[in-house]
C-alpha cells in the first residue's frame, strides 16, 4: 500500500500497523432514489428514513450477492450504515447469500454513514466535484461545512480495525463516497 505524502500524511496513523486478519469487501449501495433525482442526501434525519433503493438498485444488490457467493466464506458478516439505501442493499445482498447456504448476519454501524455535505444537502450532485477538488489539496478541508475527507477516513478506518478484532471474514457495505474519501486520503489520489 502506498503511504500518503504531504497534507494527507496526517492520517497515516489511522492505517493498521499490521496486516488485517480478515478479508473485507466494500460494496457500494445500489441505485437510490437520490441518485436518480441527482441530489445530495447526507443528513441522517433524511437518509435513514427516505431515499431508498430504486427497482434497479434492488435488482443490482441481489445480483451482487449472487455473484459474491462464488468467492464468499461460509460465514459473511454484513456491516451497513443505517441509511435506507445502504441498509436495503445489505439486506438484499445478505438474502442472496443465505439462499446459497451462507451464514450472513447483518450489523448496523453509524460509522459507515454518508459523508455529511453541510450546506450542499439536497443540492445537485453536480456539486460533488467542487468538494473533491478541495479534498485532493487538503483532506482536512471543510468547504461548505462538509465533513472533512480525513474525518471520514478516520472513522471508517477505526471501524475496520474494530471489526478485524471482533468478527470473522466479512463483507463491508458502505456508501461509495466514504470509500472514495478513504482511498483518496490513504493513497493520495
Amino acid at each position: 500500500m502506498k503511504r500518503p505524502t504531504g497534507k494527507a500524511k496526517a492520517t497515516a496513523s489511522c492505517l493498521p500497523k499490521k496486516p488485517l486478519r480478515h478479508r473485507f469487501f466494500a460494496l457500494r449501495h445500489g441505485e437510490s432514489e437520490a441518485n436518480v433525482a441527482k441530489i445530495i442526501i447526507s443528513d441522517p434525519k433524511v437518509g435513514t428514513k427516505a431515499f431508498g433503493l430504486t427497482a434497479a438498485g434492488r435488482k443490482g444488490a441481489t445480483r451482487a450477492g449472487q455473484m459474491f457467493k462464488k468467492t464468499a466464506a461460509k460465514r459473511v458478516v454484513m456491516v451497513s450504515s443505517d441509511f435506507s439505501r445502504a441498509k436495503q442493499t445489505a439486506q438484499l445482498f445478505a438474502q442472496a447469500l443465505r439462499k446459497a447456504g451462507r451464514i450472513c448476519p447483518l450489523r448496523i454501524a453509524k460509522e459507515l454513514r454518508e459523508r455529511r455535505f453541510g450546506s450542499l444537502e439536497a443540492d445537485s450532485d453536480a456539486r460533488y466535484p467542487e468538494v473533491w477538488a478541495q479534498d485532493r489539496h487538503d483532506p482536512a478541508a471543510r468547504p461548505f461545512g462538509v465533513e472533512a475527507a480525513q474525518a471520514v477516513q478516520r472513522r471508517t478506518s477505526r471501524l475496520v480495525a474494530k471489526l478485524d478484532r471482533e468478527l470473522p471474514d466479512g463483507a463491508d457495505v458502505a456508501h461509495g463516497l466514504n470509500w472514495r474519501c478513504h482511498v483518496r486520503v490513504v493513497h493520495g489520489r
Side-chain angles (χ1 to χ4, degrees), residues 1 5 21 30 36 38-39 55 68 104 108 127 173:
M1 176 187 309
T5 58
R21 298 175 333 149
V36 172
K38 297 188 180 299
I39 57 172
F68 186 73
C104 197
I108 301 300
R127 305 283 310 269
V173 177

Side-chain angles (χ1 to χ4, degrees):
M1 176 187 309
K2 179 182 167 188
R3 294 289 175 159
T5 58
K7 291 184 181 186
K9 193 173 189 173
T11 62
S13 62
C14 295
L15 300 174
K17 303 290 185 238
K18 54 187 175 182
L20 294 172
R21 298 175 333 149
H22 304 295
R23 296 184 313 159
F24 289 83
F25 301 89
L27 174 66
R28 186 182 190 276
H29 62 77
E31 179 186 75
S32 73
E33 294 165 354
N35 296 141
V36 172
K38 297 188 180 299
I39 57 172
I40 297 170
I41 298 297
S42 65
D43 184 342
K45 291 176 185 171
V46 178
T48 59
K49 295 174 178 37
F51 295 98
L53 296 179
T54 64
R58 290 188 295 277
K59 184 177 178 181
T62 299
R63 189 171 49 243
Q66 292 166 343
M67 291 172 58
F68 186 73
K69 72 182 180 188
K70 297 171 188 168
T71 59
K74 179 98 176 126
R75 178 180 167 87
V76 176
V77 178
M78 296 295 300
V79 184
S80 171
S81 87
D82 56 350
F83 271 50
S84 297
R85 54 193 177 241
K87 192 163 64 171
Q88 290 169 4
T89 298
Q91 289 166 337
L92 292 165
F93 188 92
Q95 184 178 50
L97 290 176
R98 288 185 197 115
K99 284 183 181 177
R102 303 298 193 281
I103 298 165
C104 197
L106 174 59
R107 180 173 169 171
I108 301 300
K110 291 180 180 179
E111 297 93 333
L112 293 178
R113 280 183 172 171
E114 178 74 63
R115 179 184 189 185
R116 293 296 299 261
F117 274 84
S119 65
L120 297 181
E121 179 70 19
D123 205 333
S124 168
D125 65 4
R127 305 283 310 269
Y128 284 137
E130 295 174 54
V131 175
W132 299 334
Q134 293 290 320
D135 291 344
R136 280 190 290 279
H137 297 293
D138 181 5
R142 299 201 58 207
F144 310 105
V146 169
E147 181 181 13
Q150 186 177 62
V152 176
Q153 188 268 337
R154 194 173 293 124
R155 70 178 154 93
T156 56
S157 292
R158 285 182 184 142
L159 177 64
V160 168
K162 178 181 175 185
L163 293 172
D164 194 50
R165 288 189 307 272
E166 296 176 358
L167 302 174
D169 289 349
D172 197 351
V173 177
H175 294 275
L177 294 175
N178 285 3
W179 293 108
R180 184 175 288 134
C181 286
H182 189 79
V183 168
R184 281 197 173 134
V185 173
V186 172
H187 299 286
R189 290 186 227 160

